[in-house]
């Protein structure tokens, strides 16, 4: 099983992180359930929203505290799967799972703080450049290896990247329906912009002629990074037991790197292309509806319109 059998349950599933995620999930169900009556303007939360929130939390734990997280320290392809789940798949599920009345309360609180000056970061172009820029910078080899070897920086960067992902998804998810977000051709343009901005980073990874990341090619660097992932992991013991990341990989390092880049781009393209199709057909139907209404009005005699 890709080497998972060599690790304990706590190594694979991170019980502390799991407890944290379960605590957040329990708090969510309390707020949208029995405690909702204590909040003004609260509304019933549908089962669909609850399912999406739970699915988002499960995927986040899988990617950041579960098997995908552990495998992401042994194979680059799983690292990119973790990134895709954490920032492309899970955020919209979590955002759609949180009912609009909670988002309204959050925004009202946000607008009463000095942080309201950062509202410009929700702009579709700014948020797209911010998220894709942070993602691309992170995958520069020197930055990636540094972050992987510094636990505090690693957690901080991932948190900032998640916030940037939420800002990027805000335009597409529209968690507060009455708040104006781009529609029609503008929304199509912003979706396409996000698809394009991630391409250079993925292209660099896919077409590199040699392994880029010491974390997956240098046994000593790998053991040090792996020591942060496995609770109480001793780099020397990990090196003695496994010898390096090639012990787990069934793909040659450069091929694994290419698969990772392709996987990330494929997942992003699949999700954004689906959104592109959905938004296009919504816009197309709206345009046709308006044209039909205009034709009906044009067919009505002027004296009937005046009487109306």
């Amino acid at each position: 099983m890709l080497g998972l059998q060599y690790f304990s349950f706590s190594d694979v599933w991170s019980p502390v992180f799991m407890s944290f995620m379960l605590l957040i999930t329990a708090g969510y169900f309390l707020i949208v359930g029995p405690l909702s009556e204590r909040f003004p303007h609260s509304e019933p939360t549908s089962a669909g929203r609850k399912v999406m929130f739970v699915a988002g939390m499960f995927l986040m734990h899988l990617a950041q505290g579960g098997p995908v997280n552990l495998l992401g320290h042994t194979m680059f392809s799983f690292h990119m799967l973790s990134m895709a789940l954490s920032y492309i798949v899970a955020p919209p599920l979590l955002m759609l799972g949180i009912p609009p009345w909670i988002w309204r309360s959050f925004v009202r609180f946000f607008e009463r703080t000095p942080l309201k000056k950062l509202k410009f970061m929700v702009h579709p172009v700014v948020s797209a450049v911010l998220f894709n820029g942070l993602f691309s910078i992170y995958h520069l080899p020197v930055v990636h290896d540094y972050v992987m070897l510094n636990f505090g920086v690693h957690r901080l960067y991932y948190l900032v990247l998640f916030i940037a992902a939420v800002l990027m998804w805000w335009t597409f998810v529209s968690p507060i329906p009455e708040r104006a977000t781009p529609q029609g051709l503008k929304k199509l343009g912003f979706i396409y912009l996000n698809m394009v901005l991630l391409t250079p980073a993925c292209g660099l990874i896919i077409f590199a002629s040699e392994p880029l990341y010491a974390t997956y090619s240098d046994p000593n660097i790998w053991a040090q990074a792996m020591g942060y992932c496995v609770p109480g992991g001793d780099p020397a013991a990990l090196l003695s037991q496994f010898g390096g990341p090639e012990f787990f990989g069934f793909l040659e390092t450069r091929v694994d790197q290419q698969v990772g880049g392709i996987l990330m781009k494929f997942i992003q393209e699949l999700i954004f292309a689906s959104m592109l199709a959905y938004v296009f057909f919504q816009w197309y139907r709206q345009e046709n509806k308006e044209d039909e209404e205009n034709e009906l009005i044009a067919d009505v005699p002027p004296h009937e319109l005046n009487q109306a």
Side-chain angles (χ1 to χ4, degrees):
M1 292 184 62
L2 300 173
L4 292 177
Q5 68 271 23
Y6 296 104
F7 299 94
S8 66
F9 175 85
S10 60
D11 294 337
V12 177
W13 288 102
S14 305
V16 174
F17 187 71
M18 181 188 293
S19 300
F20 174 69
M21 300 296 276
L22 289 173
L23 187 63
I24 293 177
T25 305
Y28 166 83
F29 277 100
L30 283 173
I31 291 173
V32 302
L35 297 182
S36 62
E37 296 178 356
R38 300 186 181 184
F39 296 90
H41 312 299
S42 64
E43 302 166 355
T45 302
S46 67
R49 286 191 182 277
K50 294 174 182 177
V51 169
M52 284 190 286
F53 186 86
V54 172
M57 292 297 286
F58 174 74
L59 290 175
M60 280 299 295
H61 180 260
L62 196 67
Q64 294 297 326
V68 176
N69 176 57
L70 178 60
L71 291 170
H73 284 72
T74 62
M75 296 181 66
F76 184 78
S77 52
F78 278 95
H79 162 74
M80 292 303 265
L81 176 61
S82 172
M83 298 295 283
L85 292 176
S86 300
Y87 307 117
I88 302 297
V89 182
L93 289 173
L94 293 171
M95 294 172 73
L96 288 170
I98 298 173
W101 65 268
I102 294 180
W103 283 114
R104 292 186 191 104
S105 300
F106 173 77
V107 170
R108 281 195 295 267
F109 171 79
F110 176 84
E111 290 177 343
R112 291 196 299 267
T113 70
L115 292 174
K116 66 181 180 181
K117 295 179 181 179
L118 300 177
K119 190 166 66 172
F120 72 94
M121 296 175 72
V122 183
H123 188 281
V125 174
V126 175
S127 60
V129 172
L130 178 65
F131 170 73
N132 290 284
L134 286 171
F135 182 90
S136 300
I137 290 170
Y138 174 69
H139 284 95
L140 293 173
V142 64
V143 176
H144 177 273
D145 289 334
Y146 177 81
V147 171
M148 292 293 283
L149 294 176
N150 293 271
F151 184 76
V153 177
H154 181 273
R155 288 302 182 196
L156 179 61
Y157 202 108
Y158 273 40
L159 175 61
V160 172
L161 200 54
F162 180 77
I163 294 172
V166 170
L167 294 175
M168 183 264 293
W169 275 107
W170 187 274
T171 300
F172 309 126
V173 172
S174 302
I176 304 179
E178 65 272 16
R179 291 244 171 180
T181 57
Q183 299 297 326
L185 288 177
K186 283 187 178 181
K187 200 164 189 175
L188 291 172
F190 292 131
I191 294 172
Y192 183 73
L193 175 65
N194 277 277
M195 295 171 72
V196 169
L197 286 175
L198 199 62
T199 301
C202 291
L204 171 69
I205 294 166
I206 294 168
F207 297 108
S209 58
E210 59 185 19
L212 297 174
Y213 306 103
T215 307
Y216 301 98
S217 58
D218 184 326
N220 292 299
I221 301 295
W222 168 81
Q224 189 177 343
M226 193 70 173
Y228 291 119
C229 177
V230 178
D234 177 22
L238 290 167
L239 269 179
S240 175
Q241 183 177 1
F242 302 116
E246 64 277 358
F247 179 89
F248 303 94
F250 55 88
L251 297 173
E252 189 267 327
T253 305
R254 187 174 69 88
V255 175
D256 175 48
Q257 181 176 283
Q258 292 172 329
V259 170
I262 293 170
L263 187 63
M264 180 68 192
K265 191 60 181 168
F266 174 77
I267 294 174
Q268 191 228 23
E269 292 284 339
L270 179 65
I271 291 178
F272 279 92
S274 301
M275 288 177 54
L276 205 62
Y278 174 78
V279 172
F280 174 79
F281 284 115
Q282 288 289 101
W283 169 73
Y284 180 77
R285 288 173 60 187
Q286 182 64 30
E287 288 292 311
N288 280 355
K289 183 179 178 181
E290 291 177 359
D291 289 343
E292 289 174 1
E293 289 175 352
N294 290 335
E295 288 177 4
L296 288 173
I297 293 172
D299 291 338
V300 176
H303 68 276
E304 292 187 15
L305 286 175
N306 293 332
Q307 289 175 359

